[in-house]
Amino acid sequence: MSHPQHTNPGAPQQPYYPQPPKKRKVWPWVLGGFLLAVLALFGGCAALIGGAANEVAKSEQARSVAAPAGTEVRDGKFAFTVTQVDPPVRTVGDNPYLQKTAQGEFVLVHVEVTNVGDVAQQYFGANQKLIDDQGREFANDTSAEINVNDELVAEINPGNKISMVLVFDVPTGTAPAAVEFHDSAFSNGARVALK
């Protein structure tokens, strides 16, 4: 049975098409997805930075705690042992051409360096630091160190040990508190108390 249509008999008949479904807007979904991705990225970065900051804080705390004098400490592939600290001197060296006079006074620290790794490693005296009782850091004076060591840079094979003297130019009357040892310029370091 057909339904009667109310049309004008003289008018042309138009076919009936169903209405297409309404198109949903895509941009809110794209924008929402983008915002979620940005939030996830920032959350991941924040977690990564927080973890890195925690590791740095742990290494700073470990580095700032000094082992007792005479104790072996390790940093990377090296083990360090302070064997002696000389009284301060004003000048080092017997050779008049290499002799060096301190701006203040020289503190000489005798140390044994052992390669505890499984490959050869280069030791650099320039990587070592002296810390005084006020927390100030002093660099090793390599031009003065030439007068007390046979070499400034030493290749140490696994299991071998060398004896070195570190020379620090400090203000007169400085009280050395610790030495901070490094197996490389970028290592965390390990401290040994000098008292």
Side-chain angles (χ1 to χ4, degrees):
M1 176 180 250
S2 77
H3 295 293
Q5 293 186 5
H6 298 293
T7 60
N8 186 354
Q13 259 189 328
Q14 301 235 347
Y16 172 75
Y17 294 107
Q19 289 287 335
K22 287 188 178 185
K23 289 185 179 179
R24 293 183 182 204
K25 295 180 180 178
V26 175
W27 69 266
W29 291 100
V30 171
L31 182 62
F34 176 74
L35 289 176
L36 282 175
V38 168
L39 286 174
L41 179 67
F42 280 121
C45 287
L48 183 63
I49 290 170
N54 189 24
E55 287 301 314
V56 167
K58 283 181 185 176
S59 70
E60 281 296 317
Q61 180 182 10
R63 188 175 68 138
S64 66
V65 175
T71 304
E72 177 185 278
V73 295
R74 293 183 178 205
D75 184 61
K77 293 181 174 63
F78 287 144
F80 301 91
T81 306
V82 174
T83 58
Q84 178 181 336
V85 179
D86 291 345
V89 295
R90 181 92 173 105
T91 305
V92 291
D94 297 330
N95 182 327
Y97 300 106
L98 296 177
Q99 189 176 51
K100 179 100 186 260
T101 301
Q103 295 170 351
E105 61 188 12
F106 287 123
V107 173
L108 283 70
V109 179
H110 299 255
V111 61
E112 290 183 345
V113 184
T114 306
N115 183 339
V116 294
D118 54 6
V119 296
Q121 176 86 3
Q122 281 195 328
Y123 164 83
F124 293 93
N127 292 334
Q128 317 319 323
K129 299 175 186 174
L130 178 79
I131 314 299
D132 73 358
D133 61 351
Q134 298 175 38
R136 298 180 296 181
E137 290 185 6
F138 298 92
N140 186 17
D141 189 333
T142 54
S143 62
E145 192 178 320
I146 292 171
N147 292 287
V148 294
N149 291 314
D150 294 333
E151 52 194 346
L152 297 178
V153 177
E155 183 88 18
I156 308 173
N157 283 317
N160 284 349
K161 178 183 351 182
I162 62 169
S163 294
M164 301 294 286
V165 179
L166 303 173
V167 181
F168 300 97
D169 188 347
V170 300
T172 303
T174 297
V179 176
E180 185 174 292
F181 294 108
H182 294 268
D183 87 330
S184 74
F186 306 107
S187 68
N188 289 332
R191 287 189 182 182
V192 172
L194 295 180
K195 297 179 182 182

